[in-house]
């Protein structure tokens, strides 16, 4: 038998810990890799086609994608109003609704439902036995707790009022982080940004605040329903939603 030299024996001895440890390492539990960070906008869960008419022109079409996972209640409200299937109010629809406000490069407010359809008459008996009547906004019963970290950081985002309680929706013609305080992003324009740009370019009413403020204040105190409509930024050309359907 050939004996190992002292030098060879030392080399083999140095390798023994590695040989012994290798099988033990193979029996250790595998560690799961960390989930990769997800970049970009949330998943599109539903697509809606909107036909927008400006003035007397023919409808121009855009496709909107809804973020049903990021803003479930807000996205559902928008979709239900597009298909006239809102629970408790199936007669309400965005069809023939109008834009009420355009602030160039800041926001476009659409979705004001046709006159009277979004209001109900509430009657109650007061302490004197007299029946009191008042108009109630139907949207007030559709509140929600949607919350996400999305920001109005680009053109073509669709958002609704935070917490619900309103049927109107907003399209961003440009990045506008000031909207983050009051609106929640619930979708985006997938095609038809040129339609957003066309609405953004519509001339708007710019009343003299000094002259009109006293009259507006008096009208609000007197209960004039016309005083509830914001006139600053009111488009001088009619902007309406002629059609809306799920794709």
């Amino acid at each position: 038998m050939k004996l190992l030299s002292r030098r060879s024996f030392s080399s083999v001895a140095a390798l023994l810990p590695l040989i012994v440890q290798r099988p033990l390492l193979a029996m250790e539990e595998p560690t799961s890799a960390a989930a990769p960070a997800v970049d970009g906008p949330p998943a599109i869960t539903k697509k809606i086609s909107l036909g927008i008419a400006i003035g007397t022109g023919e409808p121009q079409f855009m496709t909107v994608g809804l973020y049903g996972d990021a803003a479930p209640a807000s996205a559902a409200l928008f979709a239900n109003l597009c298909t006239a299937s809102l629970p408790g109010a199936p007669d309400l629809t965005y069809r023939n609704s109008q834009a009420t406000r355009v602030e160039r490069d800041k926001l476009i407010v659409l979705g004001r439902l046709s006159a009277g359809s979004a209001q109900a008459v509430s009657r109650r008996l007061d302490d004197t036995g007299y029946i009191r009547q008042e108009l109630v906004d139907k949207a007030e019963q559709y509140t929600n707790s949607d919350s996400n970290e999305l920001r109005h950081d680009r053109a073509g985002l669709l958002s609704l009022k935070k917490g619900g309680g309103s049927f109107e929706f907003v399209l961003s013609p440009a990045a506008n982080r000031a909207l983050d305080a009051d609106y929640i992003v619930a979708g985006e324009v997938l095609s038809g940004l040129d339609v957003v740009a066309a609405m953004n370019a519509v001339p708007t009413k710019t009343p003299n605040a000094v002259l009109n403020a006293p009259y507006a204040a008096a009208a609000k105190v007197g209960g004039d329903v016309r005083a509830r409509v914001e006139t600053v930024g009111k488009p001088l050309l009619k902007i309406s939603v002629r059609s809306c359907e799920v794709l």
Side-chain angles (χ1 to χ4, degrees):
M1 174 184 287
K2 186 176 180 180
L3 298 176
L4 292 174
S5 66
R6 178 175 297 181
R7 183 176 179 180
S8 298
F9 182 83
S10 299
S11 299
V12 172
L15 292 173
L16 283 176
L18 298 178
I19 297 172
V20 172
Q21 289 177 13
R22 186 173 298 276
L24 295 177
L25 290 173
M27 296 181 66
E28 291 177 356
E29 291 293 330
T31 57
S32 56
V38 179
D39 296 324
I44 302 295
T45 57
K46 188 169 292 186
K47 295 180 180 180
I48 306 285
S49 172
L50 297 177
I52 308 293
I54 301 176
T56 59
E58 292 296 316
Q60 305 174 60
F61 293 92
M62 67 169 65
T63 300
V64 173
L66 299 180
Y67 301 155
D69 295 331
S74 301
L77 176 69
F78 184 87
N80 288 334
L81 284 169
C82 283
T83 57
S85 58
L86 186 65
D91 57 318
L92 298 183
T93 174
Y94 278 140
R95 291 187 183 90
N96 298 317
S97 64
Q98 297 183 29
T100 57
R101 189 170 156 207
V102 175
E103 290 189 33
R104 187 162 298 182
D105 297 331
K106 292 183 178 179
L107 82 167
I108 302 167
V109 182
L110 300 103
R112 173 155 312 238
L113 305 189
S114 57
S117 65
Q119 295 178 325
V121 177
S122 173
R123 296 180 176 86
R124 63 181 179 83
L125 196 66
D126 66 12
D127 296 337
T128 66
Y130 184 78
I131 298 177
R132 300 285 182 179
Q133 293 187 155
E134 62 178 349
L135 289 176
V136 178
D137 190 344
K138 294 180 182 178
E140 292 178 356
Q141 62 182 301
Y142 296 96
T143 57
N144 63 67
S145 57
D146 281 354
S147 177
N148 60 45
E149 297 300 319
L150 301 175
R151 299 292 179 255
H152 295 82
D153 55 5
R154 57 193 170 93
L157 293 175
L158 178 146
S159 54
L160 288 92
K161 184 180 177 182
K162 279 187 175 179
S166 175
F167 292 145
E168 291 183 322
F169 61 95
V170 168
L171 291 176
S172 61
N176 183 7
R177 293 292 301 273
L179 295 175
D180 297 343
D182 298 317
Y183 297 92
I184 182 168
V185 178
E188 64 176 284
V189 175
L190 300 176
S191 65
L193 280 174
D194 56 324
V195 184
V196 177
M199 289 188 284
N200 186 49
V202 168
T204 60
K205 187 175 182 179
T206 54
N208 186 308
V210 176
L211 292 176
N212 286 279
Y215 300 104
K220 288 180 180 180
V221 171
D224 190 332
V225 294
R226 293 172 296 179
R228 300 177 185 174
V229 180
E230 179 61 61
T231 58
V232 177
K234 182 178 180 181
L236 296 179
L237 292 177
K238 181 180 179 181
I239 303 175
S240 60
V241 179
R242 292 288 184 84
S243 64
C244 51
E245 58 183 14
V246 176
L247 297 178

